[in-house]
Amino acid sequence: MYIGATFPVKAQSNYKVKLTGIVYEYDQNNKLLPLEFAAVSIPESSLGTTSNENGRYTLENVPTGKIRMQIQYLGKVSIDTLINVSKDLVLNFTMRNEDFKLKEVTVTATNNRSGKSTSSHISRSAMDHMQATSLYDVMSLMPGGISQNQDMSSAQQINIRQVSSSSGPEAPMNAMGTAIIRDGAPISNNANLSAMNPTVLSGTETPASLAGGASPAGGTDVRSISTENIESIQIVRGIPSVEYGDLTSGAVIINTKAGREPLRIKAKANPNIYQVSMGTGFELGKKKGALNVSADYAYNTNNPISSYQHYQRATTKLLYSNTFFNNKLRTNSSFDFIYGKDQRERNPDDEQTKTASEGRDVGFTLNTNGTWNINKGWLKTLRYVLSGSYMDKDSYYETVYSSATSPYSMTTTNGAVLSNFAGQHIYDANGNQITNFGPEDINHYAVYLPSSYLGHYEIDSREVNLFAKVTSSLFKASGHVNNRILIGADFRSDGNVGKGKTYDPSTPPYRSQYGHNSSFRPRNYKDIPFINQFGAYVEDNFKWSISGTHD
């Protein structure tokens, strides 16, 4: 259980009031119009609602005293204000567009205004100004972040509170412990098995990924996460809320765009990357909700003079949002499609190693999440998340292995002894059988591999990730103490239903000559059980008022 305490010093009564008002926006003619679907909330009390088609909102059972009020809408500058409440109030707000016409735009991560110095917020305008290509690029906006040329030539994993992000044994562990949460659901790397068996490398090195993808020993490859459909990002560098669960290094919380948005078409180029993208959001009619659509394509060349090495990414996102039950329930349902291809074609000038590789990722994610503003007694809101993803990864690698001379047996059966002719037994001078194999090894033999040969192997990986979570927010003002309590539970299941590693048994992958126990052991990923995790959590944040001046 995580308990946080602050100590404001002005007594507060239990009297409850009602706040009402209208949220406006300016149209193209600078005329005020009511704004529908604006999110109005009081975070410290877990109270929230959404403005209706007339722009009107109502918040009931609001505790008296100084409260922090937020109004948010896609493409608008958020309003975050402190109000002293002692009676029923009518508060109207006017929101303005967030674009390059603003006089002041923050282009770095800003500390969370709740006072948590370990939490940083990155806005849409900051991402637009830096022209980020992937989620990895925005990390340079963090305090202490290092600016560098954008490049997607290799797997990109997020490391928090670490200077070096790509070297040393601690880098993969840091990335593995960093949670990436999009629309309330974690993006999991638990089912990633796209690596050669560590025993091939004598068990001393970190399992290397195939064809440039993310290593199973680290975090998610965030090259596949485009920033074009992201509204804001919160990065927690310290200890986050218990509801974020499985992490050790911090959390990256992604909020994607939902609601009305003007059509935008963008294109950019730098020495390595070409990218085009589009996006728009429109309302479907009265009480029919809104649909947000976005897509992008990026092409990365590792080196302009080595065009045979390149990475491609194409993404599409559809997000439907609506409110129900008199604006008490707000839901978002989305479909994400991702295509990625990391390829190293054979260099025409490479006649010695003839190295070539390819890693292709095709997958989709379905997500639905929502917040039900109940506001009955202690219970204020109920939030839920349901998410499922499927990723089909097909990879191959081929090269001419040199200095590969070693004894090699095709069998994967324990205790089997083969001869150098398939299916043929060998006997000693006394007629005793030396070889030992069954029907499964009838076509296998043992050889002494040549010094060099062209090896080719493939990995068929099909990752399945399921996630579900429900969280209730409770708030109670009692005397001088305010309690905001989170109670929830989550379930996740990660597994792989691919065929695994396959290769021609006569030309096996290279193994370390220094590892006496290194071997070739293909295994069907379907035979590996899914990882199922269930968690429950409780978090209490209380505020205790003591006589004196307000903190």
Side-chain angles (χ1 to χ4, degrees):
M1 177 185 297
Y2 169 74
I3 299 177
T6 58
F7 297 94
V9 290
K10 183 178 180 181
Q12 183 171 314
S13 71
N14 294 332
Y15 181 66
K16 301 295 191 300
V17 300
K18 180 169 69 173
L19 301 181
T20 60
I22 300 176
V23 181
Y24 293 99
E25 66 170 337
Y26 286 106
D27 66 3
Q28 295 179 349
N29 298 320
N30 208 30
K31 179 181 178 182
L32 280 179
L33 295 176
L35 180 61
E36 187 180 6
F37 296 125
V40 183
S41 64
I42 303 175
E44 293 183 357
S45 303
S46 297
L47 294 174
T49 188
T50 305
S51 60
N52 61 18
E53 64 272 15
N54 299 316
R56 182 169 296 278
Y57 71 91
T58 301
L59 289 173
E60 298 180 339
N61 297 325
V62 178
T64 56
K66 289 186 177 180
I67 63 170
R68 177 173 162 238
M69 197 169 179
Q70 291 182 336
I71 299 90
Q72 297 174 315
Y73 188 87
L74 174 62
K76 305 290 184 182
V77 178
S78 297
I79 298 174
D80 194 327
T81 183
L82 193 66
I83 300 173
N84 194 354
V85 178
S86 59
K87 60 181 180 179
D88 292 354
L89 293 176
V90 177
L91 301 172
N92 298 332
F93 298 93
T94 301
M95 307 194 75
R96 54 177 179 163
N97 293 332
E98 184 177 40
D99 54 31
F100 290 108
K101 296 179 182 179
L102 296 178
K103 293 182 179 180
E104 296 181 0
V105 177
T106 301
V107 294
T108 60
T110 58
N111 285 338
N112 192 302
R113 291 192 62 181
S114 63
K116 299 177 182 178
S117 60
T118 56
S119 177
S120 298
H121 176 84
I122 298 176
S123 67
R124 178 69 249 174
S125 59
M127 287 181 275
D128 286 337
H129 273 266
M130 77 168 301
Q131 300 185 34
T133 303
S134 69
L135 180 63
Y136 183 82
D137 297 332
V138 304
M139 297 303 292
S140 63
L141 298 176
M142 293 291 295
I146 301 175
S147 297
Q148 53 189 353
N149 292 332
Q150 296 179 10
D151 182 16
M152 298 191 295
S153 60
S154 60
Q156 297 174 338
Q157 298 176 330
I158 290 180
N159 292 267
I160 298 179
R161 305 192 309 276
Q162 180 170 310
V163 175
S164 175
S165 60
S166 60
S167 62
E170 73 284 351
M173 292 303 297
N174 187 297
M176 178 179 288
T178 301
I180 302 176
I181 301 167
R182 181 171 58 189
D183 296 334
I187 301 176
S188 177
N189 194 46
N190 292 344
N192 181 10
L193 299 173
S194 296
M196 287 304 293
N197 195 310
T199 58
V200 175
L201 302 173
S202 75
T204 59
E205 291 88 357
T206 299
S209 58
L210 179 61
S215 167
T220 302
D221 184 359
V222 296
R223 289 181 300 176
S224 62
I225 303 177
S226 170
T227 61
E228 298 306 313
N229 53 33
I230 297 177
E231 175 63 13
S232 64
I233 300 172
Q234 182 183 5
I235 301 175
V236 183
R237 305 188 301 279
I239 301 175
S241 170
V242 295
E243 66 174 316
Y244 299 125
D246 186 15
L247 58 87
T248 58
S249 304
V252 179
I253 303 169
I254 302 171
N255 301 308
T256 57
K257 296 180 178 180
R260 173 164 51 90
E261 181 189 24
L263 174 65
R264 52 177 175 77
I265 300 175
K266 297 167 58 178
K268 74 170 188 177
N270 64 33
N272 297 94
I273 301 174
Y274 305 93
Q275 182 186 19
V276 293
S277 64
M278 62 78 60
T280 186
F282 48 90
E283 296 176 359
L284 301 176
K286 187 175 181 181
K287 295 184 178 181
K288 293 182 180 179
L291 182 65
N292 194 285
V293 182
S294 62
D296 93 307
Y297 173 80
Y299 183 92
N300 180 95
T301 300
N302 295 17
N303 189 328
I305 63 175
S306 302
S307 59
Y308 56 88
Q309 291 183 275
H310 53 82
Y311 172 79
Q312 301 177 69
R313 181 196 70 199
T315 66
T316 300
K317 186 179 186 73
L318 303 175
L319 190 148
Y320 172 76
S321 58
N322 204 352
T323 59
F324 303 94
F325 308 121
N326 197 24
N327 287 357
K328 292 185 178 296
L329 174 63
R330 177 159 188 165
T331 65
N332 294 325
S333 298
S334 62
F335 170 82
D336 289 84
F337 172 81
I338 172 67
Y339 169 84
K341 186 177 181 181
D342 206 330
Q343 187 173 27
R344 185 189 192 280
E345 299 172 347
R346 181 179 295 180
N347 185 347
D349 298 326
D350 181 11
E351 293 297 331
Q352 182 174 0
T353 65
K354 300 180 180 181
T355 301
S357 66
E358 179 180 301
R360 180 184 58 82
D361 305 341
V362 179
F364 64 89
T365 299
L366 295 173
N367 180 294
T368 181
N369 63 87
T371 301
W372 185 12
N373 297 300
I374 300 175
N375 199 9
K376 298 292 184 182
W378 281 57
L379 183 59
K380 300 305 178 183
T381 62
L382 192 67
R383 303 195 305 272
Y384 70 89
V385 181
L386 294 173
S387 177
S389 66
Y390 174 82
M391 181 65 71
D392 186 350
K393 296 182 178 180
D394 289 324
S395 309
Y396 80 84
Y397 179 85
E398 65 181 21
T399 190
V400 173
Y401 296 118
S402 58
S403 301
T405 306
S406 64
Y408 165 66
S409 174
M410 291 184 181
T411 185
T412 58
T413 305
N414 289 331
V417 179
L418 305 181
S419 69
N420 60 335
F421 291 97
Q424 181 174 323
H425 288 284
I426 296 178
Y427 302 87
D428 61 16
N430 298 321
N432 298 317
Q433 182 174 304
I434 299 175
T435 53
N436 178 35
F437 56 86
E440 65 275 8
D441 287 318
I442 197 68
N443 295 317
H444 293 163
Y445 55 88
V447 297
Y448 208 77
L449 292 175
S451 177
S452 65
Y453 62 90
L454 179 64
H456 177 104
Y457 64 86
E458 300 179 359
I459 296 182
D460 176 68
S461 178
R462 302 179 186 181
E463 302 172 14
V464 179
N465 306 102
L466 303 174
F467 179 79
K469 182 174 77 171
V470 60
T471 303
S472 59
S473 299
L474 298 87
F475 178 82
K476 179 66 175 179
S478 178
H480 294 180
V481 177
N482 288 350
N483 282 85
R484 183 169 61 88
I485 303 172
L486 295 180
I487 301 176
D490 60 32
F491 171 80
R492 66 183 68 192
S493 180
D494 304 291
N496 199 308
V497 295
K499 297 179 181 179
K501 311 172 186 69
T502 57
Y503 53 86
D504 186 340
S506 64
T507 55
Y510 181 84
R511 68 181 179 92
S512 172
Q513 300 300 305
Y514 301 99
H516 299 293
N517 296 320
S518 60
S519 60
F520 311 98
R521 292 284 180 175
R523 185 178 184 182
N524 196 324
Y525 292 162
K526 295 179 182 179
D527 298 335
I528 303 175
F530 274 52
I531 300 174
N532 299 314
Q533 302 176 69
F534 174 79
Y537 51 88
V538 177
E539 176 180 308
D540 185 11
N541 295 269
F542 67 89
K543 181 181 291 186
W544 182 17
S545 299
I546 306 174
S547 60
T549 58
H550 185 72
D551 184 6

